[in-house]
Amino acid sequence: MQAVEDESSLTVSRHRPIRDQVADNLRSAIVNMRFTPGQRLVEQELCELTGASRASLRQALRVLEAEGLIETKNGLGTTVAVPTRDQIKELYVVRSHLEGLAVRLATEQAGTETDRRLTACLAAMEGALRADELNTTLLKAKDDFYRIVFETIRNTTLEQYLGMIHRRIPQMRATSIRREGRGAQAYAEMCEVVDSMLARDSARAEHFITLHVDNAGRAALGDVP
């Protein structure tokens, strides 16, 4: 396994379950492409990077494997997953429909506090775009957008299913947002979504979030064979 930069950032503390911290840190490393698709993950090296025991590391790896971020094959060990073209298409089709429903419901249920948070979230996206922090601050602002939506609709079933999808696509999101011009396009789409939500136009908001996800899916496919 290739060495990664700033290895100390993967080290865990003792204030949360070690398994959860290791899973979070490795997930972040995969999302940020510190571990690249197809790269082999060696347990001993990961233990040294994280400071975790082999038992805790294996528990964390099982979590990431269940999320589809890594895969283990007999004789080949554990590697960062390389999603196929069909898998990407399937995930984004489901994501498009579920996010459309979530945004429509949030638009119908939104109040003054939701409006304030959405406006602040959009401002954060604009700042990230201007600072060219697409793969960090912009994606974090988009995560905040989904958090606002979930907290507005309070539909645990929908949140659980969308959460499952979101945990499967962090690499794809990171790949998508780095495509030439995609950051500006994504921000423009989110402006339409938020403006529609503020205007309480649920059909328009649903249309633009669906368009946003569909465009993200096409960007994520990129050069995938």
Side-chain angles (χ1 to χ4, degrees):
M1 183 177 71
Q2 297 177 344
V4 296
E5 298 178 0
D6 191 19
E7 295 177 355
S8 62
S9 66
L10 294 179
T11 304
V12 297
S13 69
R14 303 295 167 182
H15 302 298
R16 290 177 56 212
I18 302 301
R19 174 202 62 198
D20 295 345
Q21 293 183 68
V22 174
D24 287 348
N25 291 346
L26 294 181
R27 185 185 297 108
S28 178
I30 292 171
V31 171
N32 294 324
M33 303 296 283
R34 293 174 64 183
F35 298 142
T36 56
Q39 181 175 339
R40 187 164 178 260
L41 302 177
V42 181
E43 285 190 3
Q44 182 59 40
E45 294 181 14
L46 292 178
C47 286
E48 293 173 359
L49 287 173
T50 62
S53 68
R54 193 176 291 268
S56 294
L57 175 68
R58 287 177 175 172
Q59 290 176 343
L61 291 177
R62 283 196 289 271
V63 171
L64 298 183
E65 186 170 16
E67 294 177 1
L69 292 178
I70 64 174
E71 51 192 11
T72 302
K73 297 181 180 179
N74 291 334
L76 297 177
T78 301
T79 60
V80 178
V82 181
T84 66
R85 192 174 187 85
D86 285 343
Q87 288 173 330
I88 294 173
K89 286 181 178 179
E90 290 172 2
L91 285 167
Y92 274 86
V93 166
V94 177
R95 180 188 172 193
S96 177
H97 285 285
L98 292 181
E99 288 195 13
L101 174 59
V103 166
R104 175 162 57 82
L105 292 175
T107 303
E108 294 169 353
Q109 299 174 32
T112 303
E113 178 60 17
T114 296
D115 291 351
R116 183 193 66 77
R117 295 176 66 192
L118 287 172
T119 301
C121 184
L122 195 61
M125 292 183 197
E126 181 181 13
L129 183 63
R130 291 182 181 277
D132 196 28
E133 297 174 346
L134 305 183
N135 208 33
T136 52
T137 309
L138 181 58
L139 288 182
K140 180 182 181 300
K142 287 188 62 185
D143 288 339
D144 290 341
F145 168 81
Y146 293 119
R147 187 175 300 109
I148 295 167
V149 168
F150 291 144
E151 291 176 359
T152 299
I153 64 176
R154 299 184 182 279
N155 186 315
T156 56
T157 300
L158 182 54
E159 182 176 357
Q160 287 172 355
Y161 278 104
L162 254 178
M164 290 170 58
I165 297 296
H166 284 179
R167 285 191 293 273
R168 291 287 305 278
I169 62 172
Q171 283 178 287
M172 303 171 206
R173 292 179 71 200
T175 299
S176 170
I177 204 66
R178 285 197 301 271
R179 294 286 177 188
E180 182 68 29
R182 178 57 194 156
Q185 182 187 42
Y187 171 67
E189 292 160 358
M190 293 306 298
C191 283
E192 295 288 357
V193 172
V194 172
D195 286 348
S196 300
M197 294 180 73
L198 296 177
R200 301 294 185 264
D201 190 335
S202 59
R204 188 170 183 269
E206 181 178 10
H207 165 75
F208 277 107
I209 196 65
T210 300
L211 176 67
H212 171 71
V213 174
D214 290 345
N215 286 339
R218 280 189 284 272
L221 283 169
D223 300 323
V224 177

